[in-house]
Amino acid sequence: HMAKSFEYKEAVGISSVSIEDAVNNAVRAISETHMVAWFELLSTRGRTLDGDSLEFQVSIKAGCKAK
């Protein structure tokens, strides 16, 4: 049955592969300690490393079942 309340947890995911991989990393990090029901993508950014490769960063807010 559906939980009666949820709490928000935020995380930043980082990946050198893709934005999608960065999102997966952020959700996975929260999922280690909380039951994630949904998530929102708050921001997307990136940076260059050594002027050659890219690093993708995303901030997410996840709705988690309250204990």
Side-chain angles (χ1 to χ4, degrees), residues 4-5 11 14-15 17-18 22-23 28-29 32 39 42-43 45-46 50 54 57 59-60 62-64 66-67:
K4 299 219 187 285
S5 64
I14 300 170
S15 172
V17 176
S18 67
V23 171
R28 197 173 301 118
E32 289 178 6
F39 67 90
L42 301 176
S43 65
R45 65 197 157 275
D50 305 322
L54 298 177
Q57 303 173 359
S59 296
I60 68 160
C64 304
K67 295 181 180 183

Side-chain angles (χ1 to χ4, degrees), residues 13-25 54-58:
I14 300 170
S15 172
S16 60
V17 176
S18 67
I19 291 170
E20 183 177 328
D21 193 48
V23 171
N24 284 329
N25 290 338
L54 298 177
E55 177 182 85
F56 303 97
Q57 303 173 359
V58 298

Side-chain angles (χ1 to χ4, degrees), residues 36-47:
V36 176
W38 73 88
F39 67 90
E40 300 172 36
L41 186 58
L42 301 176
S43 65
T44 307
R45 65 197 157 275
R47 67 182 187 134

